[in-house]
Amino acid sequence: MEHKLAPDLNTSPASGAWADNLPDIIETSHQRSQKYGLCPQTRPAYDPLARHDLSLLIEQNRLLHTHAIPAMETLYQQIVNTHNMVLLTDANGVIVHSLGDDDFLEKANRVALSPGVAWSEQKRGTNAIASAIIEGAPVLVHADQHYLAANHFLTCSAAPISDHMGNVIGVLDVSGDSRSYHRHTMALVRMSALMIENQLFSATFEDAITIHFHSRPEFIGTLMEGIASFNPGGRFLAANRNGLFQLGLPFSALQSHTFSSLFGLPLSALYDHYNTAAPGLLNLCMHNGVRVYGRAQLRLANSVFQQALLPGRAPPATPAVAANQSAAQTRRLSGLRYLRTGDPQLELVIEKVTRVLGKDIPIMIMGETGTGKELLAQAIHNDSPRSQHPFVAVNCASIPETLIESELFGYEDGAFTGARKKGAAGKILQANGGTLFLDEIGDMPFSLQARLLRVLQERMVTPLGSDKSIPVNVELICATNHNLRERISQGLFREDLYYRLNGLVVKLPPLRERTDLETVVRKIIATESAVGRYDVAPELMAMFHRHRWPGNFRQLTNLLRTAIVMAGDEPEIALRHMPDDFLDDIGETATAIAAPPAMADTTRMIASGANLEEMEQSVILRTLEAHGGNVSATARALGVSRNTIYRKVPHLK
């Protein structure tokens, strides 16, 4: 795959300054635009796709759409409140998804920067999306470099997204007010496009051996790593951009190679390595003599072939591993970076758990029901060195006390009445080499806590009915909504087990205390909606901010899932789409909101001689604090614009 570079723009360009010195790409595009019969002063018809047609287009680009959304959200968090928006298009330049600042969306809608609108060069003249598709390379188009005058207020940074064969299948673009252009935006777009390409690459080869490699071990798992896939017999299939660069051979030459000829390791040795409980990085010597480190994914659907490949050896994938591998696509979209939504409390949690990844330190997640404890546990596993091994979750509160022992530790044939022939591996053994997540650990029966403690200390499991202990190596993550110290004082939880589990303790904030509600709502809508986009009426979003959310994210997700169905083809989710019980809860919440303290503060200010301006500032600052510093939410709550907030309280700028 040939990859060109965008024009070198090291300083912020000024509108009009480039007219006499246009980059070649822009000048050539202007010439084509003129040949298409476009007039710079013309305001073109936009003709967006109908809702049904847009849904069909998204479905046709489902793989791209699914893997691009998390990267778009991460990118958007890096440019939020900069008068920009993030866009994803298909291979023809039709926008299929967008994220943007509320204060910029109105301007964007004037030039149809919205889903369902085509930004081809024939219809829009010179623009970054079209040029990225034509050039097959990142392109920046600033201000009056756009052919149509209507687009001169924009600066657009676009990068193509290619499949494993080098074909452009879409474009990632950041478009915004040209006055707020930043020279680092293009770098962020290019990195995000590369991230999407790597995700797509991994998703393309499900029945394959995929190796992630680099000469420096710390770069494995980053955008710098090379990725190469091979069929079950070891024949080369494809490599990503960095993989092709590190291998140093053209694609045509690589097609005659195998895993062994490229990395100097027999397939049997590769399987031996991953049959161990906690395999480390591979140390490989490439065909060109360069030594690299590697981590392999063995996603092989044909277990018969595996047995033939390794005579006399059972397939390395246990049922638990196979189940994990079938969910690989979902797991890859659930790393810690995708949980970043701008809330400072959550950022602190993510920072803490990132520091202990792979350090064999147990993690305890505290939090109310519905705050996303299992989601965080899964993300921790996915970013850990054990990510290619099982993630096994056990809800200690949902399994009957009579069954939880056999569920956890497994059993031998005939261990008890009703036991399966040949016995069954327990959850702990299923998690061997990977992560065991014990949810609601505070509800584990007291009699089993001593056995769990013994397993954690000795790293050995003895199934029921057996006299043999089996070595086990698991990373442990626990979660509870109980105060375990109180459970200890009540004689319901062992103190020695508590201190064995008490490595790193983090607490997930409830939804009512988070400052990222609007971002969370957008993420849920994008996930639950077939078309990926609904607006939320301002008055309804204001209600969301006032609600106490006793069920946290579980409650919000169910509410929005129902609202999407109720809204149907309407572009906006509004109050009329809400169930009656939510409206009743909102009414009770509104009644419970304490106005007297605010009135008392105001009375004190009047008594102290404060003027009207000072009183206005006081009200704004109190409301801002109540909304966690969110200026948009504060403006909605007070019924004023964001500009009014900034004008009344200048130090917020």
Side-chain angles (χ1 to χ4, degrees):
M1 293 184 289
E2 181 182 359
H3 304 295
K4 305 173 186 177
L5 297 176
D8 185 14
L9 305 175
N10 292 321
T11 58
S12 179
S15 181
W18 290 41
D20 298 328
N21 188 26
L22 289 176
D24 292 342
I25 290 175
I26 304 299
E27 185 175 4
T28 303
S29 176
H30 276 221
Q31 293 169 0
R32 287 196 300 265
S33 301
Q34 190 174 16
K35 290 179 181 178
Y36 293 141
L38 295 174
C39 173
Q41 303 306 319
T42 300
R43 297 191 66 86
Y46 297 127
D47 302 324
L49 292 176
R51 198 170 191 80
H52 172 76
D53 293 331
L54 178 58
S55 297
L56 181 60
L57 181 67
I58 292 173
E59 189 58 39
Q60 291 169 345
N61 292 271
R62 173 57 56 189
L63 196 61
L64 171 64
H65 187 262
T66 299
H67 289 277
I69 285 179
M72 291 177 69
E73 291 170 347
T74 301
L75 175 58
Y76 176 63
Q77 290 305 315
Q78 295 173 300
I79 63 170
V80 68
N81 295 328
T82 60
H83 307 286
N84 280 282
M85 66 189 306
V86 184
L87 302 163
L88 175 71
T89 81
D90 71 354
N92 298 313
V94 180
I95 299 172
V96 294
H97 191 66
S98 65
L99 295 169
D101 294 343
D102 292 340
D103 53 2
F104 182 70
L105 288 178
E106 183 180 349
K107 287 184 179 180
N109 287 334
R110 293 180 202 160
V111 292
L113 277 171
S114 56
V117 177
W119 275 74
S120 64
E121 200 172 67
Q122 292 91 331
K123 293 187 176 182
R124 303 283 174 262
T126 303
N127 68 85
I129 291 171
S131 295
I133 293 173
I134 293 169
E135 300 293 333
V139 176
L140 184 146
V141 179
H142 172 70
D144 54 7
Q145 291 181 337
H146 289 90
Y147 187 75
L148 297 183
N151 298 332
H152 284 184
F153 74 96
L154 293 170
T155 289
C156 305
S157 305
I161 300 168
S162 301
D163 63 14
H164 66 281
M165 298 297 293
N167 302 313
V168 175
I169 59 172
V171 171
L172 184 67
D173 171 84
V174 168
S175 292
D177 192 317
S178 60
R179 294 170 297 180
S180 61
Y181 163 76
H182 197 286
R183 63 193 180 96
H184 295 310
T185 302
M186 175 58 85
L188 293 174
V189 172
R190 293 178 67 179
M191 290 172 61
S192 299
L194 185 57
M195 183 187 305
I196 296 169
E197 287 185 357
N198 285 353
Q199 296 282 5
L200 287 168
F201 184 94
S202 295
T204 300
F205 300 101
E206 289 296 332
D207 184 17
I209 301 165
T210 299
I211 181 82
H212 301 251
F213 62 98
H214 198 279
S215 59
R216 294 174 58 179
E218 65 269 25
F219 284 162
I220 295 177
T222 73
L223 293 178
M224 304 299 294
E225 71 177 357
I227 308 176
S229 284
F230 303 82
N231 74 8
R235 181 69 60 187
F236 175 83
L237 295 173
N240 72 340
R241 294 175 186 244
N242 286 331
L244 291 173
F245 176 77
Q246 292 186 57
L247 290 168
L249 292 173
F251 183 81
S252 57
L254 287 169
Q255 288 181 304
S256 63
H257 275 274
T258 65
F259 174 82
S260 299
S261 66
L262 287 174
F263 291 104
L265 186 72
L267 280 182
S268 57
L270 181 70
Y271 278 105
D272 283 341
H273 180 78
Y274 283 101
N275 272 330
T276 60
L281 291 178
L282 294 158
N283 195 329
L284 304 167
C285 183
M286 295 201 301
H287 66 97
N288 52 12
V290 175
R291 300 204 70 86
V292 295
Y293 295 89
R295 186 180 68 228
Q297 294 172 292
L298 311 178
R299 300 199 298 269
L300 304 180
N302 189 348
S303 60
V304 175
F305 183 86
Q306 291 181 32
Q307 290 176 345
L309 181 66
L310 303 174
R313 187 184 299 275
T318 66
V321 173
N324 258 15
Q325 290 168 351
S326 68
Q329 180 172 327
T330 302
R331 295 203 317 269
R332 283 194 296 273
L333 297 177
S334 304
L336 289 168
R337 65 183 181 276
Y338 299 128
L339 300 183
R340 295 183 185 275
T341 50
D343 179 77
Q345 296 178 84
L346 186 59
E347 286 291 326
L348 184 59
V349 169
I350 293 174
E351 181 184 345
K352 287 180 178 179
V353 298
T354 300
R355 290 176 180 270
V356 301
L357 287 178
K359 302 291 175 42
D360 197 26
I361 295 175
I363 298 174
M364 175 75 73
I365 306 173
M366 313 288 287
E368 297 178 8
T369 298
T371 50
K373 297 188 287 294
E374 183 168 352
L375 186 65
L376 175 61
Q378 178 76 71
I380 292 170
H381 169 76
N382 294 343
D383 282 358
S384 77
R386 298 172 180 255
S387 61
Q388 304 309 314
H389 294 272
F391 173 85
V392 178
V394 181
N395 189 315
C396 300
S398 65
I399 302 175
E401 186 170 343
T402 54
L403 295 179
I404 191 170
E405 185 174 18
S406 60
E407 282 288 317
L408 273 178
F409 304 104
Y411 56 86
E412 291 286 290
D413 182 15
F416 54 87
T417 302
R420 280 188 236 159
K421 286 188 176 182
K422 299 184 181 180
K427 298 293 187 182
I428 297 176
L429 277 176
Q430 290 176 26
N432 191 25
T435 301
L436 178 67
F437 174 54
L438 297 178
D439 198 6
E440 306 299 350
I441 184 69
D443 293 298
M444 174 175 279
F446 191 84
S447 59
L448 292 186
Q449 293 175 23
R451 283 202 66 185
L452 176 62
L453 178 62
R454 193 176 308 116
V455 169
L456 298 178
Q457 290 176 337
E458 299 175 1
R459 295 183 179 264
M460 304 283 284
V461 172
T462 306
L464 294 178
S466 173
D467 56 0
K468 294 181 180 179
S469 295
I470 304 171
V472 66
N473 186 320
V474 297
E475 194 80 52
L476 188 66
I477 304 176
C478 297
T480 183
N481 58 4
H482 288 297
N483 184 324
L484 291 185
R485 290 185 182 275
E486 289 183 3
R487 303 281 285 180
I488 292 170
S489 65
Q490 295 165 0
L492 299 174
F493 202 84
R494 293 181 62 102
E495 188 172 18
D496 49 2
L497 177 59
Y498 171 76
Y499 287 112
R500 181 62 180 80
L501 301 175
N502 194 34
L504 171 68
V505 179
V506 294
K507 184 176 181 181
L508 285 177
L511 185 55
R512 62 182 174 275
E513 294 179 6
R514 290 178 54 157
T515 61
D516 55 353
L517 178 61
E518 294 183 32
T519 302
V520 169
V521 168
R522 282 198 300 268
K523 287 171 71 78
I524 294 174
I525 289 175
T527 302
E528 298 293 336
S529 168
V531 298
R533 180 168 182 93
Y534 281 91
D535 293 323
V536 177
E539 62 272 16
L540 179 58
M541 186 62 79
M543 285 185 174
F544 285 172
H545 279 288
R546 292 200 300 270
H547 193 40
R548 300 296 295 167
W549 298 111
N552 291 296
F553 294 97
R554 190 175 293 118
Q555 180 187 6
L556 176 61
T557 300
N558 288 336
L559 184 75
L560 289 173
R561 184 182 294 132
T562 303
I564 288 168
V565 174
M566 297 295 292
D569 289 337
E570 299 179 47
E572 183 179 74
I573 295 174
L575 195 59
R576 62 184 176 277
H577 302 129
M578 294 294 104
D580 292 342
D581 60 341
F582 172 76
L583 299 178
D584 291 342
D585 289 345
I586 284 291
E588 294 173 4
T589 302
T591 303
I593 292 177
M599 182 61 71
D601 289 345
T602 304
T603 303
R604 282 196 297 272
M605 293 187 71
I606 293 173
S608 66
N611 59 33
L612 181 60
E613 183 177 347
E614 291 170 334
M615 293 171 63
E616 287 177 337
Q617 282 192 355
S618 176
V619 171
I620 291 171
L621 290 173
R622 277 202 311 274
T623 309
L624 191 67
E625 182 179 1
H627 288 85
N630 189 311
V631 176
S632 296
T634 300
R636 280 194 296 274
L638 295 175
V640 298
S641 68
R642 285 165 52 98
N643 289 337
T644 299
I645 299 291
Y646 287 124
R647 189 173 67 253
K648 297 290 185 182
V649 190
H651 72 264
L652 291 177
K653 293 183 178 179

